[in-house]
Amino acid sequence: MASRQESSLPLRPKEQDPPEGQATSKSALKKAAKEKEKAEKAARRQEQERQQKEQAEASDTAKHLYGPLSLPSEPAASQEFTELADLYDAKEDQEVTLDARVHNARVQSTKLAFLVLREGPHTIQAVIAEGGAHKISRQMVKWSGGLNTESIVRVTGLVKQPLEPVTSTSISNYELHVASIYLISAAAQQLPIQVKDCMRPPPMGDEPTQAEEQAADGTPIVSLSARLNNRVLDARTAANNAIFQLQSGVSNLFIEYMNKHKFTWIQSSKIAGAATEGGAGVFEIKYFDTKAYLTQSPQFFKQMAIAMDMKRVCEIGPVFRAENSNTHRHLTEFTGLDFEMVIRNHYHEVLGFSERLLIFIIRALQTREEYKRLTKVVQQVYSEAGNFKLPPGDDAVRITFAEGVKLLNEAGIEAAELDDLSTAQERTLGTLISQKYSSDFFTMDKYPLAIRPFYTHPDPTSPHLSHSYDFFMRGQEIMSGAQRIHDYNTLCERMRASDPPLDPLGKGFKDYTDAFRYGCAPHGGGGIGLNRVVQFYLGLPDIRAATLFVRDPGRLAP
């Protein structure tokens, strides 16, 4: 009975889930409420930060002494600026204003920050301390210490002697106590390579391909490839900046010497209508509807200028060589220092002039204060810089090719009197000359005629030899030169006897040979590789370190 009564009780209705749309609506409302609360908190936080910032700015006694700087739209009163290089000889308490890069920045405390300022190869420590006569604020200290490295700033301050020399900067006997600092140009916070990491020599040979790889001591290794890919940053290092200033110095010294000896400056064309000088190793280019070629050297043009009665000519310009040589001293484009001059009696007039030119350049690099200082900067990275040996006086060590071969044979290095020397033989010869004459510079005269260009003048007394010479620094060639053939018939004969034969009346040659058909004075000259002079004078391991924008078989950028 009981069970019958229970069964008669009414059934409770079954619970059902809310409609799908209603559940979604509640979830969306909760999410929206959370987002609203989150946004309100963020807004309150931003407002609080804004108020704190305004309060900090209101209490900032130095807000006019730092911050972004924009150049005025209208001319302003001229301001006197100081170069960092001038601070080596500064005076205590001298006030200076300068523009420089932030090489390093760090906050020592809320009251003190340090910067290392860099301009070219020169660096100095800058101190930003709270208080003082200018009432520098903690906000200014924090802002200054947080500047991104490589940013450009304008700083005014007092030159002071530090308690101890600052060994980490090139200007060690002074530091700069900052009175004001303004940001001219901000550098990105993340850079592909760090300038400070490029202050060590790049690895050579089997180098790492990634800039992030590290040495055993944990310091990053920046490969040569990574440096060249980011040349704008790499070239900012003190050593690299000094290298290119020294390269400019070599050019200026060349100009100085040529002007002193009354040479005429010419600007030869770098485009030729035919592949000249034998046709090997030239870059072909499209020239409207025909082919043209980048010139391998200004050789033909220099000689034609002599035929124009210019007597002494010179130029500085690019040289192009389409040679697939991937070595430490070869480029497909380099800078040539070229000259040509009339010979009065004997071709040694040109050889002697060339030797005195190189000795003048090297001696000036060693003795003039501006170049000595730059060389010391390079020496901090490349230890061989500054160790280049020259004998006393103005005369170069000069040997003949036959004497060079003899020196090699006596040292157990097999060499033939009529064959060209290999790079290894030349380097060995350079070591032998250095040991015997205490000189890293020497010249070698009277090369075999068969290994010289067709326009090289034969030696009348020795038919297998020529009136030609090469110059060497640290056993590596930096200049090639000779007396040139000035007689039209002899020149044509030599061209036809070349291997392969050349047509004196052919395209690219007729204008050149005609210059001698019209009469031309005896002459000779040479071509100096600017990049190599810098490389070997400083003892750099690779010519790319002495080339601002490298062009070699594998590089077309930047």
Side-chain angles (χ1 to χ4, degrees):
M1 296 295 290
S3 59
R4 187 179 300 171
Q5 290 176 351
E6 290 175 358
S7 62
S8 63
L9 293 175
L11 295 175
R12 296 176 61 186
K14 184 179 180 181
E15 293 186 3
Q16 296 182 351
D17 292 333
E20 184 177 344
Q22 185 178 349
T24 304
S25 176
K26 287 183 178 181
S27 175
L29 288 173
K30 287 182 180 181
K31 183 176 180 182
K34 288 182 179 179
E35 291 294 333
K36 181 181 179 182
E37 182 181 0
K38 185 177 178 182
E40 288 174 348
K41 286 182 179 180
R44 288 195 298 269
R45 185 171 57 252
Q46 289 177 355
E47 177 62 20
Q48 185 179 12
E49 290 174 353
R50 185 189 67 79
Q51 291 177 0
Q52 290 174 347
K53 183 178 179 182
E54 287 181 353
Q55 291 173 1
E57 289 177 350
S59 63
D60 188 355
T61 58
K63 58 184 176 182
H64 61 293
L65 298 177
Y66 68 99
L69 176 69
S70 298
L71 297 180
S73 58
E74 296 294 331
S78 60
Q79 186 176 7
E80 186 175 344
F81 289 90
T82 300
E83 304 289 328
L84 258 186
D86 298 330
L87 297 189
Y88 289 96
D89 303 316
K91 296 179 181 179
E92 179 81 3
D93 290 329
Q94 177 183 346
E95 184 177 86
V96 297
T97 297
L98 53 88
D99 292 350
R101 287 194 183 273
V102 177
H103 184 69
N104 191 24
R106 61 185 175 91
V107 176
Q108 184 76 7
S109 68
T110 57
K111 299 180 179 181
L112 182 65
F114 291 96
L115 302 180
V116 173
L117 302 178
R118 188 185 76 243
E119 186 179 24
H122 314 291
T123 52
I124 192 171
Q125 177 172 275
V127 182
I128 306 98
E130 183 185 14
H134 297 280
K135 297 183 179 179
I136 289 175
S137 63
R138 294 190 178 189
Q139 295 94 323
M140 180 174 173
V141 172
K142 180 180 179 181
W143 181 87
S144 301
L147 288 167
N148 292 342
T149 58
E150 297 306 305
S151 296
I152 302 174
V153 292
R154 177 166 298 171
V155 177
T156 297
L158 291 179
V159 175
K160 295 283 188 179
Q161 287 187 340
L163 297 177
E164 295 181 359
V166 184
T167 58
S168 60
T169 58
S170 66
I171 302 173
S172 58
N173 56 327
Y174 289 115
E175 62 185 9
L176 192 61
H177 287 211
V178 175
S180 66
I181 178 169
Y182 302 103
L183 180 63
I184 297 175
S185 178
Q189 189 171 11
Q190 296 294 327
L191 300 174
I193 59 174
Q194 295 296 323
V195 172
K196 64 180 180 179
D197 295 332
C198 295
M199 295 177 71
R200 296 178 292 275
M204 295 296 163
D206 297 330
E207 61 176 28
T209 57
Q210 299 295 324
E212 294 76 21
E213 293 194 30
Q214 294 184 338
D217 60 358
T219 55
I221 295 175
V222 187
S223 69
L224 179 61
S225 177
R227 293 166 192 249
L228 296 180
N229 288 341
N230 299 279
R231 198 53 157 149
V232 169
L233 292 172
D234 175 54
R236 289 180 184 175
T237 67
N240 284 343
N241 193 283
I243 287 170
F244 293 115
Q245 288 197 45
L246 285 166
Q247 188 175 86
S248 175
V250 173
S251 298
N252 288 334
L253 292 168
F254 179 76
I255 291 169
E256 180 182 334
Y257 200 81
M258 291 296 152
N259 287 342
K260 179 180 178 181
H261 291 85
K262 300 181 179 179
F263 275 69
T264 298
W265 288 87
I266 62 172
Q267 295 78 40
S268 64
S269 174
K270 306 308 170 193
I271 301 175
T276 56
E277 297 196 43
V282 292
F283 287 109
E284 181 182 305
I285 60 175
K286 180 176 174 56
Y287 194 76
F288 300 105
D289 58 351
T290 189
K291 293 180 181 178
Y293 305 86
L294 296 178
T295 55
Q296 295 166 281
S297 80
Q299 184 58 47
F300 285 10
F301 298 108
K302 290 189 301 177
Q303 291 185 257
M304 293 166 73
I306 295 295
M308 297 173 186
D309 292 339
M310 291 189 181
K311 297 189 182 300
R312 291 184 168 198
V313 297
C314 61
E315 75 165 288
I316 299 178
V319 177
F320 303 94
R321 300 284 171 86
E323 299 171 351
N324 194 15
S325 298
N326 295 279
T327 75
H328 73 285
R329 65 174 191 169
H330 283 93
L331 297 168
T332 54
E333 179 187 358
F334 60 91
T335 301
L337 310 177
D338 276 271
F339 61 95
E340 207 79 15
M341 58 188 285
V342 166
I343 296 172
R344 301 293 187 185
N345 296 300
H346 192 270
Y347 82 97
H348 278 186
E349 297 168 18
V350 186
L351 176 53
F353 173 86
S354 307
E355 290 171 334
R356 291 188 294 274
L357 163 65
L358 264 297
I359 288 177
F360 167 78
I361 291 174
I362 296 170
R363 194 83 74 193
L365 292 175
Q366 293 178 329
T367 58
R368 296 189 186 181
E369 196 60 39
E370 58 190 301
Y371 302 135
K372 286 168 60 179
R373 182 175 289 166
L374 291 168
T375 302
K376 286 181 180 178
V377 174
V378 179
Q379 197 172 30
Q380 294 173 4
V381 177
Y382 299 100
S383 59
E384 285 300 309
N387 297 330
F388 194 89
K389 294 185 295 185
L390 269 186
D394 296 327
D395 294 328
V397 175
R398 182 194 300 177
I399 62 173
T400 64
F401 186 86
E403 289 169 340
V405 169
K406 183 179 178 183
L407 282 173
L408 287 171
N409 288 333
E410 289 174 349
I413 308 298
E414 186 176 346
E417 288 192 4
L418 298 180
D419 291 339
D420 204 358
L421 299 181
S422 67
T423 300
Q425 289 172 325
E426 289 175 346
R427 297 186 72 166
T428 301
L429 183 58
T431 301
L432 296 173
I433 294 292
S434 181
Q435 293 171 349
K436 185 174 182 178
Y437 298 101
S438 190
S439 177
D440 289 325
F441 170 64
F442 74 96
T443 66
M444 194 151 59
D445 188 21
K446 292 187 180 295
Y447 271 72
L449 183 62
I451 63 174
R452 304 301 277 198
F454 65 82
Y455 45 75
T456 304
H457 201 290
D459 185 339
T461 61
S462 302
H464 296 300
L465 301 181
S466 64
H467 286 180
S468 64
Y469 38 82
D470 279 357
F471 286 23
F472 296 87
M473 294 175 68
R474 300 186 193 265
Q476 306 205 58
E477 179 200 330
I478 53 98
M479 185 190 114
S480 183
Q483 178 184 356
R484 326 297 186 182
I485 297 172
H486 65 281
D487 177 74
Y488 175 76
N489 292 326
T490 304
L491 180 62
C492 292
E493 181 181 335
R494 280 275 295 157
M495 292 177 71
R496 294 189 182 101
S498 296
D499 184 16
L502 302 173
D503 182 4
L505 303 180
K507 185 179 181 182
F509 290 108
K510 186 178 185 304
D511 292 328
Y512 167 70
T513 56
D514 275 350
F516 305 100
R517 189 161 66 89
Y518 304 149
C520 181
H523 60 281
I528 303 169
L530 172 62
N531 311 71
R532 286 191 181 183
V533 170
V534 176
Q535 177 191 1
F536 300 134
Y537 173 71
L538 295 174
L540 306 180
D542 197 295
I543 196 169
R544 290 156 186 82
T547 306
L548 193 59
F549 297 107
V550 173
R551 293 295 176 265
D552 60 26
R555 181 169 293 277
L556 269 176

